Amino acid sequence: MADAHVNNRYGWSDLAPVLRGLRPVWPFILGALILAVPTLFDVARQSWSTEQGAHGPIVLATGLWLYARRWSEAKALAMPGNPIVALIAALVFVPSYAVFRIINVIEVEGFCMYASLLTGAYYLIGARALRLMWFPILYMLFIFPPPDTVVAMVTQPLKIGISQASIDLLHLFGYPIAGSGVMISIGQYDLLIAQACAGLNSLISLSAIGLFYIYVRHNANWRYALLLMLAIVPVAVLANFIRVIGLILITYYLGDAAAQGFLHNFSGITLFLFSVLGIFGVDALASPLRRRLAKAGQA
């Protein structure tokens, strides 16, 4: 029995087929690790620890799962890409990655790193296999923080619109509130509607998780998936509008310290969960439409 047990154990020799299969691509694997590990470490340290980038680890884990899920299909279509196209792309993205890493612009560095990895993947497996992986490729972009210019461009109208709507609503109920732009005065307190209260943070996180849910559950019905994607934005904005109202009332009744402390973070987590449930609710309510679109697609 002991000899049989020893003979049935796995050893290093069992890894030989795997190592032989990886031997042709080990330079790409080594280069990918050299590019990806330092950048992902900096992204995790600077972005994933904040409210705006808290969805990053979730996206990384689920994105790798999506790649693994489609790999068997992509492998059947794999064919080396055009080396000239790959070389040109590498000459653009790899030096750009090096420059932005040196000057520490993490937002652009992450995208250049990812583009460099995709260039290597194109050279190894070609465009047809990558086309099959289109959703995981786009989905993994949520790992990286957006550039500050994009953040400012998107958040400013959201901040102003949510601020004004909050002022108008509370004024109807008789609260001593006024405001200008993103500044709100209620009672003796002044509030600045920051990005965390203006929709961008939850909009990015909710979009990432919502798109993952839509793709996994409704990938075959692209019309219905598009409808749910359009529903993400109003759900996120409504959730943040409610959050801003709540923080204004907390400030008015409990003081500025209460609104900027634990209750500030707790309200963000709670309303994000309600936003996710809102997407599920929209999906459940729109089930008749989903069935109708599915029948139309089969016709």
Side-chain angles (χ1 to χ4, degrees), residues 149-219:
T149 53
V150 176
V151 172
M153 182 176 63
V154 174
T155 57
Q156 193 62 23
L158 282 174
K159 287 190 287 187
I160 294 175
I162 289 177
S163 300
Q164 190 58 50
S166 303
I167 293 171
D168 294 341
L169 179 62
L170 292 177
H171 182 72
L172 289 175
F173 287 91
Y175 284 92
I177 188 170
S180 175
V182 296
M183 289 296 301
I184 294 178
S185 299
I186 182 167
Q188 58 181 324
Y189 302 104
D190 294 324
L191 293 86
L192 174 64
I193 304 301
Q195 294 175 3
C197 305
L200 179 68
N201 296 329
S202 64
L203 184 59
I204 293 177
S205 301
L206 188 63
S207 296
I209 295 176
L211 287 175
F212 175 77
Y213 167 78
I214 291 167
Y215 177 77
V216 170
R217 185 165 184 183
H218 304 297
N219 181 34

Side-chain angles (χ1 to χ4, degrees), residues 54-121:
H55 60 277
I58 300 174
V59 172
L60 178 60
T62 53
L64 292 175
W65 176 78
L66 287 174
Y67 274 118
R69 184 170 177 254
R70 302 303 301 270
W71 173 243
S72 59
E73 300 175 57
K75 187 178 180 181
L77 300 175
M79 182 179 298
N82 189 321
I84 297 178
V85 174
L87 177 61
I88 293 174
L91 290 176
V92 173
F93 293 124
V94 175
S96 299
Y97 162 79
V99 169
F100 286 110
R101 177 153 186 83
I102 291 172
I103 63 178
N104 195 28
V105 183
I106 190 64
E107 298 88 352
V108 184
E109 175 193 336
F111 292 112
C112 290
M113 180 273 290
Y114 191 48
S116 300
L117 296 184
L118 291 177
T119 299

